[in-house]
């Protein structure tokens, strides 16, 4: 759970109120701290930007359940709402149903909270929702929201993954609304014009609503507003930066459309330096036209932030010089995260190496930058980037190094490094580096750039022996892995993507990877052999092979992989011969294959088998030999196979009758109404986008970097949730270049789990 979310629900249910000079959020923080000290909460984690997440102790959770009884209900796979009590106050929906029967709610006259946690994409509606005059908190992914007008006491409204294109005006009449959250409403293009009627609104949070093109006018009239994480500047009256002048904003603020600011006086009207509770500031220009560079420099100078910022980001800046406040380390001294993206004309960066707390740094799209920090370092013992742990360098064609002064010790704590299209860089010795992602320059780059990126791979083997994760992507001319990689004896995870010319793996390299536990090979279309070196990977636990059509045979010594438990094969014509010799294989996932060989039945250790979009009309008879199999899932199967697997009477039933858990999902055929609905939504989206005059980058880099943990999203999740991406986006979805296809890959379905019990 996230602390801020919990406090918002407390506010909505009237469990906390302001006290003296303490605002209601401060009272909520004090209450949370007291509960934490009394061991109600555990596993409390605070990230670099101060966001707090935690879990509720099991004993207290069970106690809360027993005390509340029928007043709190969780609607999931094992529960039903048919017998909903008249005493119910809080309902949480976790059940993945297309339609929710609203009839049981008609007798829930005292319902206070209704939270839908299941992020389906079908955008269910609220039609039939009884007039819950008592409802205080609502989270939904509904698209038809006309029923909202009856929720007169609503204080918390969270629309998540809704298909709405406009937020209806009836929201402006929810006079008691304090928290309005709009998350992942990707078609949403505008907000109600009269939103400023919500005089009690304290938090307006907008995340991943990339189609939104303008803000309501006169938003500065919302005097109670404490969080406004997105503001889009427009030249229209009532939509300029002066609207921010008197707002006491805190937390995160993203300002888009700065190309619409006419002069520095307008920028100064934002009064950013006076907003002492502001912690995260991100500035965006929709156009990096160099002709506007001088004006952009003056505007940025006038947007000086408070000195307590924890995170600062900037993209699309067209100026050549940076403002004086960005050269002042006393103003930047509290920063833990810096994001500088697509500032194409900048030649020099701030003295980032001297920021004592800087932990995360992302620099991309600056063609003239040669060094990240060119400042001088006088002290003998002075270290540069002394706190930096996570570094991303992307599209920096002339970057030569981190520091102009190579004598200075640097990056003592760096543990994660992502490098993309930086062919001239010379990496220093990185003693703490554990995770590294290297993306090449692609097939369109010249020979020298390709060689430069390849030399980085060699440097990894020479200078970074403690690396545990290595991801290599988009090296289309790479024919063999550098032999220097054989020195990575601590490497646990190796991923290779887009090696178009890679034909085999060197036995010498594999022999040195004695600690390897996970191996992923993706889009190596000429790969024919893994070599006998695979036999040295005795600690290998997971093997993923995707889009490697010529890899039809595995080495003869696969029987030496005694630790291999899970294998994934995707978009290959068939399963590679030799897989049956893995002695302890327990899980096999197959996606987009033309056939399943008869020898699959020889893998008698197999406990779980998933077949997705495998073109089968019948099952191999050898399936009856899979006596250890406990789970069999066939998704997207042919109708003929569905008939043959019919319980008892099907021709293939006897081959699978012994399997305890069997799931078969036929191919979904799109109906005529599905096609009409899809076309209608596409037309609405195009219409609403054309109405706006702003054109922003498709990828919201700040939001992505702010929320996305690259290391926790695996390729396996991507395939499971969006298999189509394998064909269309394989060159694009590298984590730090275009992570948008990964956004929905892995979501924590229980992020609000148990919160209602705490509210009660």
């Amino acid at each position: 759970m996230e602390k801020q979310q919990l406090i918002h629900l407390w506010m909505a249910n009237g469990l906390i109120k302001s006290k003296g000079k303490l605002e209601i959020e401060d009272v909520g923080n004090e209450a949370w701290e007291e509960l934490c000290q009394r061991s109600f909460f555990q596993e409390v984690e605070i990230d670099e930007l101060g966001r707090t997440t935690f879990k509720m102790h099991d004993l207290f959770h069970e106690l809360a359940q027993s005390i509340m009884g029928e007043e709190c209900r969780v609607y999931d796979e094992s529960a039903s709402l048919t017998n909903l009590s008249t005493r119910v106050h809080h309902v949480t929906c976790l059940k993945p149903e297309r339609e929710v029967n609203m009839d049981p709610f008609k007798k829930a006259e005292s319902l206070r909270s209704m939270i839908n946690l299941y992020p389906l994409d079908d955008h269910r509606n609220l039609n039939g929702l009884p007039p819950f005059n008592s409802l205080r908190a609502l989270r939904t992914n509904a698209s038809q929201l006309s029923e909202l007008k009856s929720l007169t006491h609503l204080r918390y409204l969270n629309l998540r993954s809704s298909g709405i294109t406009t937020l209806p005006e009836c929201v402006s009449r929810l006079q008691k609304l304090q928290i309005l959250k709009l998350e992942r409403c990707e078609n949403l293009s505008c907000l109600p014009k009269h939103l400023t009627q919500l005089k009690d609104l304290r938090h307006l949070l907008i995340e991943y609503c990339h189609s939104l093109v303008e803000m309501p006018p006169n938003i500065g009239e919302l005097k109670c507003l404490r969080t406004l994480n997105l503001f889009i500047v427009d030249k229209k009256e009532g939509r300029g930066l002066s609207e921010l002048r008197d707002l006491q904003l805190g937390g995160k603020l993203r300002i888009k459309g700065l190309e619409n600011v006419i002069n520095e006086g307008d920028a100064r009207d934002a009064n950013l330096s006076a907003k002492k509770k502001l912690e995260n500031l991100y500035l965006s220009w929709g156009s990096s036209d160099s002709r506007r560079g001088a004006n952009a420099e003056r505007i940025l100078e006038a947007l000086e932030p408070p000195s307590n910022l924890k995170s600062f980001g900037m993209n699309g800046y067209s100026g050549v010089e940076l403002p004086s406040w960005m050269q002042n380390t006393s103003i930047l001294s509290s920063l833990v995260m810096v994001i500088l993206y697509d500032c194409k004309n900048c030649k020099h960066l701030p003295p980032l190496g001297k920021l004592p707390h800087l932990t995360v740094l992302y620099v991309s799209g600056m063609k003239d930058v040669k060094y990240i920090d060119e400042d001088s370092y006088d002290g003998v013992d002075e270290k540069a980037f002394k706190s930096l742990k996570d570094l991303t360098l992307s599209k920096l064609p002339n970057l030569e190094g981190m520091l102009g002064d190579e004598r200075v010790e640097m990056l003592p704590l760096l543990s994660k490094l992502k490098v993309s299209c930086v062919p001239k860089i010379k990496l220093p010795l990185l003693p703490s580096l554990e995770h590294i992602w290297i993306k090449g320059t692609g097939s369109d780059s010249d020979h020298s750039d390709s060689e430069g990126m390849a030399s980085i791979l060699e440097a990894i083997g020479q200078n970074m022996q403690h690396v545990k994760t290595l991801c290599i992507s988009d090296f289309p001319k790479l024919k063999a892995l550098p032999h220097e990689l054989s020195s990575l004896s601590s490497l646990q995870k190796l991923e290779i993507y887009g090696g178009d010319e890679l034909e085999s793996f060197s036995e010498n390299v594999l022999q040195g990877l004695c600690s390897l536990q996970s191996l992923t090979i993706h889009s190596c279309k000429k790969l024919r052999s893994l070599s006998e070196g695979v036999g040295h990977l005795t600690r290998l636990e997971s093997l993923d092979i995707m889009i490697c059509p010529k890899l039809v045979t595995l080495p003869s010594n696969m029987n030496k992989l005694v630790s291999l438990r899970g294998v994934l094969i995707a978009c290959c014509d068939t399963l590679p011969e030799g897989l049956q010799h893995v002695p302890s294989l327990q899980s096999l996932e197959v996606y987009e294959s033309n056939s399943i060989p008869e020898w699959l039945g020889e893998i008698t250790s197999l406990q779980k088998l998933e077949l997705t979009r495998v073109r089968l009309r019948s099952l191999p008879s050898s399936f009856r030999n899979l006596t250890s199999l406990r789970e069999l899932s066939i998704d997207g199967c042919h109708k003929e196979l569905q008939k043959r697997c019919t319980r008892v009477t099907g021709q293939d039933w006897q081959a699978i009758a012994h399997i305890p858990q069997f799931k078969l999902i036929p191919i979904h055929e799109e109906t005529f109404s599905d096609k009409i609905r899809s076309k209608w939504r596409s037309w609405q989206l195009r219409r609403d986008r054309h109405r706006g005059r702003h054109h922003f980058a498709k990828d919201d880099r700040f939001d992505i970097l702010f929320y996305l943990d690259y290391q926790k999203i695996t390729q396996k999740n991507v395939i499971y949730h969006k298999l189509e991406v394998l064909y269309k986006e394989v060159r694009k979805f590298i984590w730090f270049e275009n992570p948008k296809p990964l956004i929905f890959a892995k979501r924590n379905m229980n992020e609000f789990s148990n919160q209602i019990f705490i509210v009660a």
Side-chain angles (χ1 to χ4, degrees):
M1 289 178 282
E2 191 173 346
K3 183 172 75 169
Q4 184 190 60
Q5 296 281 4
L6 178 58
I7 292 174
H8 286 172
L9 289 173
W10 282 346
M11 292 168 58
N13 282 274
L15 299 178
I16 53 176
K17 297 180 179 179
S18 58
K19 186 188 302 181
K21 293 184 179 181
L22 283 181
E23 296 196 337
I24 188 170
E25 294 84 2
D26 298 324
V27 174
N29 273 309
E30 287 188 352
W32 187 91
E33 292 292 344
E34 183 176 350
L35 290 172
C36 188
Q37 290 174 9
R38 294 175 181 269
S39 301
F40 272 69
F41 307 138
Q42 58 185 8
E43 297 184 36
V44 178
E45 296 182 2
I46 303 176
D47 69 8
E48 297 92 345
L49 300 179
R51 293 170 301 181
T52 302
T53 56
F54 62 96
K55 293 182 180 179
M56 189 178 185
H57 196 287
D58 289 343
L59 292 177
F60 286 112
H61 177 236
E62 292 173 6
L63 177 63
Q65 281 183 306
S66 64
I67 292 174
M68 295 308 299
E70 294 182 343
E71 292 187 21
C72 293
R73 290 292 302 273
V74 176
Y75 180 46
D76 57 16
E77 294 287 359
S78 60
S80 171
L81 290 178
T82 53
N83 298 317
L84 204 61
S85 168
T86 57
R87 297 177 58 243
V88 68
H89 286 170
H90 310 286
V91 173
T92 302
C93 181
L94 291 168
K95 198 168 185 177
E97 289 190 353
R98 294 280 172 182
E99 296 292 337
V100 176
N101 181 13
M102 302 304 296
D103 291 337
F105 287 94
K106 292 180 180 179
K107 56 184 179 181
E109 299 176 353
S110 300
L111 192 65
R112 294 293 189 94
S113 304
M114 185 175 176
I115 308 295
N116 168 26
L117 296 183
Y118 203 89
L120 285 175
D121 293 328
D122 66 319
H123 312 305
R124 67 186 69 171
N125 60 63
L126 287 178
N127 289 347
L129 185 70
F132 292 133
N133 292 327
S134 59
L135 197 66
R136 303 294 195 270
L138 173 65
R139 171 175 168 165
T140 178
N141 63 349
S143 297
Q144 300 177 33
L145 302 171
S146 58
E147 300 292 334
L148 282 176
K149 62 181 180 291
S150 63
L151 307 181
T152 54
H153 291 278
L154 198 66
R155 297 172 183 170
Y156 175 100
L157 175 59
N158 182 191
L159 297 179
R160 183 180 177 89
S161 299
S162 170
I164 57 171
T165 57
T166 59
L167 192 63
E169 280 292 338
C170 65
V171 173
S172 301
R173 295 190 285 273
L174 301 175
Q175 294 297 314
K176 296 187 178 181
L177 197 66
Q178 295 179 331
I179 299 113
L180 175 58
K181 300 182 67 175
L182 306 169
E183 300 176 293
R184 302 189 184 281
C185 301
E186 297 203 344
N187 298 342
L188 180 64
S189 61
C190 64
L191 303 178
K193 292 182 179 178
H194 299 100
L195 197 70
T196 51
Q197 293 178 2
L198 301 176
K199 300 303 182 183
D200 289 343
L201 192 66
R202 299 183 67 83
H203 304 282
L204 176 55
L205 299 162
I206 304 171
E207 304 286 0
Y208 291 110
C209 299
H210 302 305
S211 299
L212 190 64
V213 294
E214 65 180 12
M215 304 297 291
N218 306 313
I219 208 163
E221 295 179 6
L222 296 174
K223 302 300 182 183
C224 291
L225 205 60
R226 294 297 178 264
T227 306
L228 175 65
N229 68 340
L230 175 64
F231 184 79
I232 302 175
V233 183
D234 201 318
K235 294 178 181 178
K236 296 178 183 177
E237 186 176 354
R239 292 187 172 94
L241 283 174
S242 60
E243 294 299 317
L244 303 178
R245 180 194 296 118
D246 300 322
L247 295 181
Q248 301 177 41
L249 299 178
K252 173 186 173 184
L253 173 60
R254 167 82 183 275
I255 302 177
K256 281 186 174 183
L258 284 170
E259 71 278 6
N260 293 313
V261 180
I262 298 174
N263 56 57
E264 62 268 31
D266 293 341
R268 199 170 288 109
D269 283 343
N271 198 23
L272 294 183
S273 60
K275 303 184 190 307
K276 302 302 182 183
K277 291 188 176 181
L278 201 62
E279 295 182 338
N280 311 304
L281 177 64
Y282 306 108
L283 306 175
S284 294
W285 283 259
S287 171
S288 57
D289 188 350
S290 59
R291 293 173 295 180
R292 302 181 181 180
N295 189 47
E297 290 177 4
R298 292 191 294 269
I299 289 168
L300 186 57
E301 184 71 58
L303 290 174
E304 180 179 335
S307 59
N308 57 297
L309 275 189
K310 291 184 177 179
S311 176
F312 174 76
M314 183 171 68
N315 88 300
Y317 175 64
S318 57
V320 175
E321 301 296 331
L322 294 176
S324 58
W325 59 263
M326 288 189 73
Q327 308 296 333
N328 188 343
T329 54
S330 63
I331 293 179
L332 308 179
S333 61
S334 298
L335 286 175
V336 297
M337 176 187 284
V338 172
I339 303 168
L340 301 174
Y341 177 74
D342 205 17
C343 304
K344 295 181 179 178
N345 300 319
C346 284
K347 295 183 179 181
H348 309 285
L349 301 181
L352 299 172
K354 294 183 177 180
L355 302 184
H357 305 293
L358 186 63
T359 305
V360 180
L361 176 59
Y362 179 101
V363 183
S364 175
M366 300 184 188
K367 63 182 187 303
D368 295 322
V369 171
K370 289 188 176 182
Y371 298 99
I372 300 299
D373 187 351
E374 294 181 292
D375 247 33
S376 59
Y377 287 75
D378 300 326
V380 177
D381 298 325
E382 193 172 8
K383 296 180 181 179
F385 302 101
K386 64 180 182 180
S387 299
L388 195 64
K389 296 179 181 179
D390 191 335
L391 172 63
T392 299
L393 303 173
S394 172
K395 295 182 181 178
L396 304 168
N398 290 301
L399 185 70
E400 297 179 9
M402 292 296 294
L403 294 177
D405 187 349
E406 297 181 352
R407 300 168 300 172
V408 180
E409 184 181 350
M410 69 182 85
L411 302 166
L413 299 181
L414 189 69
S415 61
K416 299 175 185 177
L417 173 64
K418 308 177 188 77
V419 179
S420 168
C421 304
V422 191
K424 297 181 180 180
I425 191 170
K426 295 180 181 179
L427 294 176
L429 182 65
L430 301 172
S432 302
L433 191 66
E434 293 186 347
H435 310 282
I436 182 166
W437 292 259
I438 302 293
K439 181 178 184 295
T441 51
S443 56
D444 297 330
S445 60
D446 59 36
H447 183 68
S448 60
D449 285 353
S450 298
E451 284 190 340
M453 291 303 298
S455 67
I456 296 178
L457 293 179
E458 299 173 2
I460 293 172
Q462 295 169 351
N463 301 328
M464 308 168 196
Q465 279 81 17
H466 300 292
V467 169
K468 294 181 179 179
T469 300
L470 172 59
C471 176
I472 304 170
S473 170
D474 213 3
F475 281 81
K477 300 175 183 178
L478 186 69
K479 295 186 177 181
L481 295 179
H483 66 86
E484 287 86 355
L485 296 183
S486 62
S487 64
L488 300 180
S489 58
S490 299
L491 193 67
Q492 298 176 4
K493 186 174 184 178
L494 174 61
E495 300 181 354
I496 301 173
Y497 299 87
D500 292 349
E501 298 295 324
L502 192 63
E503 295 186 0
S504 65
F505 281 32
S506 165
E507 183 171 354
N508 177 55
V509 171
L510 294 180
Q511 185 174 357
L513 306 181
C514 55
S515 299
L516 198 66
Q517 298 175 8
S518 174
L519 175 60
T520 296
I521 308 169
H522 191 310
S523 297
C524 298
K525 298 177 181 179
K526 292 186 178 181
L527 185 67
R528 296 178 179 273
S529 171
L530 297 184
S531 85
E532 295 295 318
V534 167
H536 298 285
L537 305 180
T538 56
R539 296 186 182 181
L540 192 67
E541 299 175 0
S542 171
L543 174 62
D544 294 357
I545 301 173
M546 293 163 275
I547 316 182
C548 299
K550 294 189 177 181
L551 186 63
V552 296
T553 304
L554 296 177
S556 60
N557 57 359
M558 293 294 288
N559 61 330
K560 294 183 179 180
L561 302 183
V562 293
S563 300
L564 187 57
R565 299 289 186 269
V567 171
L568 181 148
I569 307 292
C571 303
C572 299
D573 291 338
T574 186
L575 297 185
E577 176 78 25
L579 191 62
Q580 69 269 37
H581 301 309
V582 178
S584 303
L585 189 61
Q586 297 179 358
S587 173
L588 175 60
E589 300 173 57
V590 184
Y591 297 83
E592 289 281 354
S593 180
N594 291 326
S595 63
I596 296 296
E598 190 70 29
W599 54 253
L600 183 64
E602 298 178 25
I603 312 178
T604 55
S605 60
L606 204 61
Q607 298 179 13
K608 181 179 180 180
L609 176 60
E610 295 184 22
L611 306 177
T612 301
R613 299 184 186 179
V614 176
R615 297 169 183 82
L616 290 178
R617 293 179 179 269
S618 63
L619 294 179
S621 59
S622 62
F623 267 41
R624 68 181 69 247
N625 299 328
L626 300 175
T627 55
S628 299
L629 199 61
R630 294 292 175 263
E631 296 180 46
L632 173 60
S633 172
I634 306 176
D635 193 345
C637 72
H638 194 275
K639 287 184 178 180
E640 185 175 338
L641 179 61
Q642 183 183 10
K643 183 178 180 180
R644 292 178 65 93
C645 291
T646 303
R647 187 176 295 273
V648 181
T649 59
Q651 292 174 274
D652 291 338
W653 174 249
Q654 292 305 316
I656 58 176
H658 64 285
I659 303 173
Q661 298 181 39
F662 172 57
K663 181 174 67 174
L664 189 147
I665 304 173
I667 296 174
H668 173 69
E669 296 182 0
E670 190 177 33
T671 64
F672 179 74
S673 60
D674 289 335
K675 294 177 181 179
I676 293 296
R677 189 179 298 112
S678 177
K679 292 288 186 183
W680 172 251
R681 287 176 182 165
S682 298
W683 177 83
Q684 284 182 315
L685 180 57
R686 290 196 302 271
R687 177 201 64 188
D688 292 325
R689 278 181 172 168
H690 285 312
R691 284 177 178 174
R693 295 186 297 104
H694 302 283
H695 300 280
F696 302 117
K698 292 182 179 179
D699 298 328
D700 196 329
R701 304 285 171 172
F702 299 138
D703 283 341
I704 289 167
L705 290 167
F706 196 75
Y707 286 101
L708 189 62
D709 183 355
Y710 304 104
Q711 287 69 54
K712 291 182 181 178
I713 295 181
T714 65
Q715 187 62 28
K716 190 177 296 186
N717 297 129
V718 178
I719 288 189
Y720 183 77
H721 292 276
K722 271 193 175 283
L723 190 61
E724 291 79 10
V725 172
L726 290 172
Y727 298 106
K728 299 178 182 179
E729 301 291 343
V730 66
R731 296 288 185 193
K732 300 178 182 177
F733 67 65
I734 300 308
W735 301 266
F736 46 93
E737 280 305 303
N738 186 7
K740 187 174 181 180
L742 298 179
I743 291 174
F744 295 100
K746 187 175 184 182
R747 303 300 306 161
N748 182 359
M749 308 297 286
N750 297 315
E751 60 180 344
F752 279 84
S753 175
N754 301 328
Q755 287 189 8
I756 298 307
F757 294 113
I758 302 177
V759 169

